[in-house]
Amino acid sequence: MILGGNNWLGVLGGGQLGRMLSLDARRMGFNVLTWTGGDRSGAAATADQIIDAPFDDPNALDEFTKKVQVATVEFENLPQTTLEKVEDRVKLFPSPQAVTICQHREREKNFLSENGFACAKFKVAHDLITFKQALQELHCDVIVKTAEFGYDGKGQVRLNKSLSEQEITQAWEAFDGGRVVIEECISLQAELSVIVARSSKCEILTYDPVENIHRNHILDVSIVPARIPESIQAEAKDIALSIADTLQYVGILAVEFFLSADGRLVVNEMAPRPHNSGHHTLNACTCSQFENQARAIAGLPLGSTKLLSPVVMMNLLGDLWIDENTPPNWDPITSSQGASLHLYGKREARAGRKMGHATFMDNSLEKTIEQVNVVREIFKLPTV
Ligand code: ATP
Ligand code: MG
């Protein structure tokens, strides 16, 4: 692809990940066409052009595939048929097969266990009988997760191992007859993620592992370098690289891990796209995860993933807003030396909705965390 020429990169999805991908890709000289699927919340304002139509619209498919030379996704919950139709006509990275595995927890867990990647013990259920059986066989505290369409902990419930028959039936009914994955509840020492970039020329790199702190099942803070032993970080990188190779993956892949209290490193899940825990790369790495997404799918050499400074990323959720349309005063962030504010242009704030993020950088991780904590105290958030 000739940068600065008449090249068009297509993005399926209209959220904040597409927004940040567009901004970086356009800075490099790509033209970006975003097919929103009806979600105009984040990316519509930053693309060169948009198609604001559902993913099953045949005219939108024609328009999209006539214009772009290469396409990618900014979220995984896309209809498989749309992905296959796009792939029939233009290059699409990651492949529909890879997206299909990552969008469905049962397929994802089967992929991991069949290929020898450690994950939490799990069972699958599709009715009350198989649900009861699974709980009996696992015989520990569990987290039940819908197989599809879960994000930010939605569609998940934690169940204690000593539930009565009646409570088990009630828990199953809440899932409304869908397929679920039931996994052991792991006592966590830490959570981490590794972001991998793998190009259509099979070049492969990772960013430094990220330590992630979740609150109410939503990512709250990401810290790099991770305060996790080097040997564990090296193991996580190796696993993430190996997953990307096994999937013959092209693009950015995020692999989330749990480190259990007894020192086991297991894969939690994968995201076939840039990831919230990689947002710090916009400020703190030579090339961001978004720039490398564009490079990887366009067959360009990957950019350096080198970390230039200790960094902490903090999500800005709708809870901080004064009301639906009124953001808080950002002075604590904008006046903080080494902080950078990113807002996604979403109009309606809601509790738990990701509205933006801020990154903080200083000479040492200790000083960076101090800066973050000053801001978090003002915003009445728990300190790191
Ligand atoms: P996201 O899309 O934000 O990554 P998600 O809805 O896909 O979230 P998970 O990553 O499966 O959900 O879970 C969200 C969080 O819930 C995890 O990061 C972890 O903090 C907690 N959690 C999930 N599964 C387990 C488990 N088996 N044991 C302990 N904690 C868990
Ligand atoms: Mg997750």
Side-chain angles (χ1 to χ4, degrees):
M1 266 186 150
I2 299 169
L3 294 175
N6 186 30
N7 60 60
W8 282 86
L9 190 155
V11 183
L12 293 157
Q16 68 265 19
L17 300 172
R19 176 186 181 92
M20 289 182 270
L21 174 60
S22 293
L23 289 170
D24 259 19
R26 292 183 70 191
R27 174 179 51 73
M28 294 176 75
F30 288 100
N31 303 295
V32 175
L33 173 61
T34 288
W35 183 356
T36 65
D39 171 12
R40 296 181 51 110
S41 64
T46 61
D48 289 277
Q49 272 185 31
I50 63 164
I51 301 173
D52 194 22
F55 290 123
D56 58 2
D57 181 330
N59 296 327
L61 176 74
D62 282 344
E63 198 188 332
F64 185 76
T65 52
K66 275 190 188 132
K67 186 113 199 171
V68 308
Q69 290 86 54
V70 61
T72 190
V73 307
E74 70 92 54
F75 87 135
E76 56 272 37
N77 292 325
L78 289 150
Q80 203 172 335
T81 48
T82 306
L83 293 170
E84 282 163 2
K85 284 178 185 165
V86 171
E87 198 200 27
D88 278 348
R89 301 185 190 188
V90 295
K91 285 189 212 152
L92 172 64
F93 301 121
S95 68
Q97 293 79 356
V99 176
T100 309
I101 290 171
C102 299
Q103 74 184 184
H104 192 280
R105 287 187 200 278
E106 181 180 350
R107 288 196 282 266
E108 183 175 54
K109 286 273 199 289
N110 286 337
F111 164 83
L112 291 169
S113 48
E114 280 161 17
N115 288 285
F117 299 110
C119 57
K121 270 189 275 169
F122 73 98
K123 299 276 170 201
V124 178
H126 54 87
D127 58 18
L128 183 58
I129 297 171
T130 46
F131 187 60
K132 279 186 184 164
Q133 245 168 21
L135 293 177
Q136 224 168 41
E137 282 168 23
L138 286 168
H139 196 62
C140 59
D141 293 354
V142 296
I143 302 204
V144 187
K145 304 181 177 181
T146 52
E148 290 180 283
F149 304 119
Y151 69 99
D152 290 346
K154 291 188 174 67
Q156 293 192 14
V157 57
R158 193 191 152 131
L159 299 181
N160 190 298
K161 75 171 171 199
S162 49
L163 288 187
S164 67
E165 284 280 317
Q166 195 193 353
E167 286 167 321
I168 292 176
T169 307
Q170 275 170 359
W172 170 253
E173 279 165 1
F175 280 94
D176 210 17
R179 270 184 109 73
V180 297
V181 169
I182 304 141
E183 58 182 61
E184 61 167 325
C185 185
I186 295 181
S187 160
L188 297 175
Q189 184 182 140
E191 293 190 60
L192 58 159
S193 56
V194 175
I195 292 174
V196 184
R198 189 171 182 278
S199 81
S200 58
K201 306 268 164 68
C202 299
E203 192 189 351
I204 187 163
L205 291 173
T206 77
Y207 288 87
D208 285 2
V210 181
E211 175 187 344
N212 296 316
I213 301 174
H214 290 76
R215 211 155 45 92
N216 306 326
H217 295 270
I218 305 175
L219 182 66
D220 185 9
V221 170
S222 290
I223 299 172
V224 200
R227 297 166 302 175
I228 289 168
E230 281 292 332
S231 59
I232 304 276
Q233 296 196 36
E235 191 186 339
K237 274 200 207 180
D238 282 350
I239 295 170
L241 287 167
S242 179
I243 290 176
D245 278 334
T246 308
L247 287 169
Q248 296 186 312
Y249 194 89
V250 175
I252 291 282
L253 174 75
V255 183
E256 297 178 16
F257 294 89
F258 295 143
L259 179 60
S260 71
D262 57 3
R264 272 189 306 149
L265 184 68
V266 301
V267 177
N268 170 24
E269 59 172 355
M270 293 134 26
R273 50 170 169 76
H275 194 253
N276 194 171
S277 69
H279 290 355
H280 67 280
T281 62
L282 282 166
N283 293 100
C285 294
T286 310
C287 282
S288 75
Q289 60 170 349
F290 302 102
E291 174 163 350
N292 267 330
Q293 171 85 345
R295 287 174 178 245
I297 66 171
L300 299 173
L302 294 176
S304 166
T305 55
K306 187 173 159 40
L307 183 71
L308 303 172
S309 161
V311 59
V312 177
M313 188 279 320
M314 156 178 151
N315 268 335
L316 303 171
L317 302 183
D319 312 57
L320 293 174
W321 263 238
I322 291 155
D323 63 42
E324 204 181 59
N325 309 111
T326 319
N329 178 347
W330 297 116
D331 286 356
I333 295 175
T334 50
S335 63
S336 173
Q337 292 297 305
S340 169
L341 177 66
H342 301 246
L343 293 175
Y344 305 149
K346 297 181 183 176
R347 289 290 152 250
E348 290 135 35
R350 287 189 299 273
R353 188 174 196 206
K354 290 173 180 168
M355 303 296 286
H357 70 268
T359 44
F360 298 79
M361 296 191 288
D362 209 326
N363 296 331
S364 68
L365 188 58
E366 292 69 33
K367 281 195 191 156
T368 312
I369 290 176
E370 272 170 33
Q371 269 196 52
V372 175
N373 281 339
V374 169
V375 171
R376 289 179 71 82
E377 272 174 8
I378 296 169
F379 284 125
K380 300 195 167 47
L381 295 168
T383 53
V384 177

